[in-house]
């Protein structure tokens, strides 16, 4: 008889095998999904790869698409490692973009060296404000952060909707509302890297953020407390850690990272405030963080992978016949299988002799 | 005579660790057979295999001479095997009757309460168990709750009863009554497997099987052995039972508690007007059955629970209501009773746990970062000094045995505390060898001039360590006695709520 038995120590080889099998199974499931739509599977995969990494331009698109995903992924890592189940990344992305836009109005005219740090700080402050509300509700009234963050997501999304349509920030052409703000001035565009118009300087920030996250988590007293809080808050409370303050700090950090994603989208990609580019970045970040194993560098990898998928999907669609919903489907399949692999990695398969 | 139960060549492995190695065991009708051994010796694994919780890798179980397959507790019950767990599995909001018949119903949807009531009354009568079948379980004292568990097994026609540490939560008086009931059951031909740590209880059995590291060391007639021999067999070496306590004059007062009162979540009084003091070079023992306010008292003293009234003075300063952080900074060390929940982060390494609570201390930092080298060095020192059995300092604390985990906590608290140590059940569930070690460590701190508050459910602990013993019952201190002039029986009376009679 074959049985599963919990491992006392995880094995690196076995973990690698588990995730390799999961990746292959994901590929296979995607192929089946594609075949069912009547598409030429190999051609579609070829297009996907080409669109993701096939040219410098494709690579630039991959990086740009990965940037917000890595940041919201890191926001997830910071919170989930402490077992704070913040689902507020979505709203914080919106708050980040709105804060950034407000900053751009107030700081217009400053030299770039002051302007960009300034507007990003405005964006970050927006996300932190939303996150702080959830932390306050949890610490003061015991409101579960899952509930409060989801509710605040709606608030942030609809606040933007109002601001753009009928509110003060909407762009109106005569009587038509376009559900977006007017274009920012050229001076408010994040500078381009390597002459490419697409590749903005903001793509460097997720890597910097990941490095800081990894360092804080592994080496600082705060990281010690975040990890400890996730494992055993009761022991931390007994050993003098102020749980409420730590929760607030974690929520604020998580909110700041997610908000940065929104602000970078605004100044690096859309250059005007609009919702459609922001929608789903926060929720996708939860998937990215989970697939990244709630580690900072794992999240970078997962974010790059999803960025590549998104970039490849743009190219793939040119082929026609491929439903646009394929990419979120692949994301879902990958998450599901990776979660399975994560469980599998903790078990060993044993043969049991029954008398 | 056919055996009631026989186990042959039972072997059980867990993830490469052998928990039971070729165990042979037999149980005669009408016998109390004790399983005796340290934690991790394989007592629980053996009884869990007999009751069908685990499936043995090898070996055969016979009931009344017939080979049987016990694949689950349902099989075990079918073969007349019952088990009473250390932690009861009762629904407090149900009555005794409801608790027994719900989930033990064999067929049909209706509860057939009348039939059950008749059968249970008969059982109670024949074994001398006095319990109101219509009382709600939450109304019953802990000792009576255990009877309900026993009743449940008898109601299911158990002929073989496994009792896992049955007296862990009982007063000495309640334990005596339990053993009367056990005696009555044996007289009627039932067989009892008794799992216990306590020598006094072992000596009331007919036979005893000593386990060490998963193997049977010996099976002896109790009348032909002695406590000393049993301990030697259990540990594999001689253990000195009494730690020498040097006479020391108490120094100046360190901690003074006056009129301390605290209420629980529902406004019920959990600590009522508690007053005591502890001085340098002094150990104040806190006796009492679990759940009589000891935990709440320690929570208030270490700052995780806020008192509602009263004063706590630490070296003259009123510290009532201060945070755990503030108290730690004032030199208070705390050894909590639930070591894996309150004392350690099981996923953290030994090294990380040794600095838990002091992670921000400049001692363990270089700039903004934690000083990994200094922490590792410290951990290696502590592992050597406290003889913590672990490969190295990176082992997760959750992988340690209870005794080694406790040593990590003790090492951390002793390292950072100055002046006052609060120890709640520091020897609970530990092996004899480690208990002796912990006791000696506490006496060493007493010698260094610490004041120590020590709560223990083991009166032997308190009588060998404490300079004075305060007895708690339902959140109150019933009396503070001098162990040199008091007997265990007298303390037992106070533990059950009796007042100190005519003594001052």
């Amino acid at each position: 008889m074959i049985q599963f038995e919990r491992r006392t120590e995880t094995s690196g080889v076995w973990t690698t095998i588990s995730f390799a099998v999961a990746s292959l199974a994901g590929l296979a499931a995607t192929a089946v999904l594609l075949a069912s739509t009547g598409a030429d599977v190999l051609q579609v995969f070829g297009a996907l790869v080409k669109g993701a990494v096939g040219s410098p331009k494709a690579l630039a698109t991959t990086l740009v698409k990965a940037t917000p995903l890595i940041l919201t992924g890191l926001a997830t890592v910071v919170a989930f490692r402490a077992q704070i189940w913040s689902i507020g990344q979505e709203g914080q992305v919106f708050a980040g973009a709105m804060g950034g836009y407000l900053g751009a109005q107030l700081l217009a005219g400053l030299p770039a060296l002051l302007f960009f740090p300034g507007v990003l700080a405005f964006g970050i402050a927006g996300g932190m404000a939303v996150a702080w509300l959830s932390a306050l509700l949890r610490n003061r009234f015991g409101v579960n952060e899952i509930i409060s963050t989801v509710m605040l997501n709606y608030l942030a999304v609809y606040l933007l909707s109002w601001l753009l349509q009928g509110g003060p920030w909407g762009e109106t052409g005569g009587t038509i509302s376009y559900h977006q703000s007017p274009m920012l001035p050229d001076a408010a565009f994040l500078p381009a890297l390597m002459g490419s118009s697409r590749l903005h300087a903001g793509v460097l920030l997720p890597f910097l953020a990941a490095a800081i996250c990894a360092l804080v988590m592994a080496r600082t007293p705060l990281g010690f407390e975040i990890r400890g809080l996730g494992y055993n808050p009761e022991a931390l409370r007994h050993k003098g850690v102020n749980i409420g303050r730590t929760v607030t700090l974690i929520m604020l950090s998580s909110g700041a990272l997610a908000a940065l994603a929104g602000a970078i989208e605004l100044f690096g990609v859309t250059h005007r405030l609009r919702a459609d580019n922001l929608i789903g970045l926060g929720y996708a970040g939860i998937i990215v963080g989970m697939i990244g194993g709630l580690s900072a560098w794992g999240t970078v990898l997962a974010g790059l992978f999803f960025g590549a998928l998104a970039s490849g999907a743009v190219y793939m669609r040119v082929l026609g016949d491929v439903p646009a919903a394929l990419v979120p489907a692949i994301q879902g399949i990958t998450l599901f299988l990776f979660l399975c692999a994560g469980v599998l990695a903790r078990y060993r398969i044993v043969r049991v002799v029954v008398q | 005579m056919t055996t009631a139960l026989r186990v042959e060549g039972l072997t059980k492995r867990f993830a490469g660790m052998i928990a039971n190695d070729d165990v042979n065991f037999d149980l005669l009708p009408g016998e109390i057979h004790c399983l005796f051994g340290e934690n991790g010796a394989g007592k629980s694994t053996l009884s869990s295999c007999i009751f069908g919780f685990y499936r043995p890798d090898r070996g055969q179980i016979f009931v009344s001479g017939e080979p049987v397959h016990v694949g689950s507790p349902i099989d075990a019950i079918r073969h007349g095997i019952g088990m009473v767990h250390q932690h009861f599995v009762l629904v407090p909001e149900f009555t005794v009757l409801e608790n027994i018949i719900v989930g033990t119903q064999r067929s049909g949807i209706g509860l057939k309460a009348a039939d059950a009531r008749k059968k249970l009354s008969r059982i109670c009568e024949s074994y001398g168990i006095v319990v109101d079948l219509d009382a709600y379980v939450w109304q019953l004292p802990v000792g009576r709750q255990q009877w309900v568990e026993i009743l449940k097994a008898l109601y299911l026609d158990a002929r073989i009863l496994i009792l896992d540490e049955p007296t862990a939560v009982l007063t000495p008086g309640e334990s005596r009554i339990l053993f009367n009931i056990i005696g009555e059951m044996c007289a009627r031909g039932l067989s009892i497997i008794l799992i216990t740590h306590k020598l006094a209880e072992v000596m009331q059995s007919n036979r005893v099987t000593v386990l060490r590291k998963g193997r049977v060391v010996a099976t002896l007639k109790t009348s032909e052995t002695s406590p000393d021999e049993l301990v030697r067999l259990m540990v594999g070496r001689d253990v000195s039972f009494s730690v020498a306590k040097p006479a020391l004059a108490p120094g100046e007062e360190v901690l003074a508690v006056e009129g301390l009162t605290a209420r629980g979540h529902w406004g019920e009084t959990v600590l009522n007007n508690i007053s005591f003091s502890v001085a340098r070079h002094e150990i104040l023992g806190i006796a009492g059955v679990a759940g009589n306010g000891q935990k709440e008292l320690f929570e208030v003293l270490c700052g995780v629970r806020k008192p509602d009234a009263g004063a706590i003075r630490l070296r003259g300063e009123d510290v009532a209501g201060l945070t755990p952080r503030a108290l730690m900074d004032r030199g208070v060390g705390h050894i909590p009773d639930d070591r894996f929940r309150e004392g350690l982060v099981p996923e953290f390494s030994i090294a990380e746990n040794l600095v838990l609570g002091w992670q921000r201390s400049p001692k363990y930092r270089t700039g903004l970062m934690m000083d990994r080298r200094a922490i590792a060095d410290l951990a290696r020192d502590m592992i050597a000094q406290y003889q913590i059995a672990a490969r190295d300092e990176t082992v997760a604390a959750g992988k340690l045995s209870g005794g080694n985990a406790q040593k990590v906590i003790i090492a951390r608290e002793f390292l950072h505390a100055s002046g006052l140590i609060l120890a709640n059940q520091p020897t609970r569930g530990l092996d004899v060898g480690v208990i002796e070690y912990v006791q000696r460590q506490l006496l060493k701190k007493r010698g260094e001039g610490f004041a120590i508050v020590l709560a223990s459910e083991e009166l032997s602990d308190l009588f060998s360590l404490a300079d004075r013993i305060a007895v708690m019952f339902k959140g109150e201190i019933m009396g503070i006695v001098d162990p040199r002039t008091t007997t265990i029986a007298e303390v037992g009376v106070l533990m059950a709520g009796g007042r100190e009679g005519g003594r001052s």
Side-chain angles (χ1 to χ4, degrees), chain A residues 5 8-9 215 219-222 224-225 227-228 231-232 234-241 353 355, chain B residues 15 59 304 324-325 328 340-342 344-345 347-348 352 356-357 359-360 365 368-370 372 399 413:
Chain A
E5 192 175 277
T8 44
E9 311 257 343
L215 197 66
R219 298 289 306 277
T220 65
L222 177 64
F224 183 96
E225 287 157 11
R227 287 180 290 130
Y231 294 135
N232 187 357
E234 199 55 29
L236 260 72
R237 192 168 75 95
H238 274 78
K239 292 319 296 169
V241 174
V353 186
Q355 280 193 327
Chain B
V304 295
R325 176 81 264 154
M328 285 161 67
F340 285 107
R341 205 174 95 82
E342 292 158 2
L344 295 167
V345 176
E347 291 85 350
F348 273 2
E352 286 174 307
L356 181 64
Q359 66 274 7
R360 288 178 184 273
R365 272 194 297 140
L368 289 174
M369 303 291 145
M370 293 177 79
R372 284 194 287 198
K399 291 213 161 65
E413 297 305 313

Side-chain angles (χ1 to χ4, degrees), chain A residues 92 95 123-136 152 251-252 255-256 259:
Chain A
Q92 291 151 6
I124 286 171
M128 286 169 87
V130 179
W132 179 76
L133 272 176
S134 290
L136 185 76
L152 285 168
M251 288 293 280
L252 291 179

